[in-house]
Amino acid sequence: MALLVTSCAPAVNAVPGECTRTAHTKIYSNAFLSQETGDVLGFELAIERLKNSSIDALLYVYEGVPNTDGIRISGRLSGKTLVLQGVWVEHLIEYPSKKETVDQHRVRIEGTINPSTFRGSLTIQSFGPAIKVRLARVRHLWLCKPEK
């Protein structure tokens, strides 16, 4: 059994730099707090349009404890069709041996984007088949919401 250490935050608040880093991007999200478990679940995509049709993006994967380090992916926007890909590098520690390992997973996102939603599929190598996702445009990352 391996535990992920560098991608998980000890608390639910984001690193302030991550909020600053994504403040100028367009963010699409389906992240939510599970009332049953108290876990954050879902995905967020922070998109920055570059010159021409090039896109740089950060993908946030929430599976319990929020991932405060976005996965860097890049690609192209053609009309309303968005295709992004990259590699997710996970730094893991195996227990009880405390051996450090690194896993790499290819990530691919493709679908249709408009000013209010992204609909498409997300594939993370070795995590199974593509996942259908619908992300709504939000003002900021789930982790960057102002405290009440």
Side-chain angles (χ1 to χ4, degrees), residues 87-100:
V87 176
W88 179 10
V89 179
E90 286 185 292
H91 296 271
L92 307 168
I93 295 180
E94 294 178 358
Y95 285 93
S97 68
K98 296 187 180 180
K99 178 183 174 188
E100 293 183 35

Side-chain angles (χ1 to χ4, degrees), residues 33-138:
L33 182 64
S34 169
Q35 296 301 319
E36 292 177 14
T37 64
D39 292 338
V40 179
L41 303 171
F43 301 97
E44 290 190 309
L45 187 59
I47 298 173
E48 179 179 10
R49 190 168 187 168
L50 304 174
K51 295 178 182 175
N52 304 320
S53 59
S54 296
I55 300 289
D56 272 349
L58 293 166
L59 173 66
Y60 296 84
V61 178
Y62 301 137
E63 298 177 309
V65 177
N67 175 354
T68 60
D69 296 322
I71 302 163
R72 291 187 172 278
I73 53 180
S74 60
R76 301 193 91 52
L77 178 64
S78 177
K80 292 184 178 184
T81 302
L82 179 65
V83 178
L84 300 166
Q85 51 192 5
V87 176
W88 179 10
V89 179
E90 286 185 292
H91 296 271
L92 307 168
I93 295 180
E94 294 178 358
Y95 285 93
S97 68
K98 296 187 180 180
K99 178 183 174 188
E100 293 183 35
T101 62
V102 176
D103 283 349
Q104 295 187 10
H105 312 280
R106 284 190 216 110
V107 176
R108 182 172 175 88
I109 296 173
E110 53 189 316
T112 304
I113 194 166
N114 64 48
S116 62
T117 60
F118 170 81
R119 290 178 190 247
S121 64
L122 166 63
T123 305
I124 300 175
Q125 175 192 20
S126 73
F127 279 52
I131 302 165
K132 297 283 185 197
V133 293
R134 181 182 182 277
L135 309 176
R137 178 79 187 274
V138 295

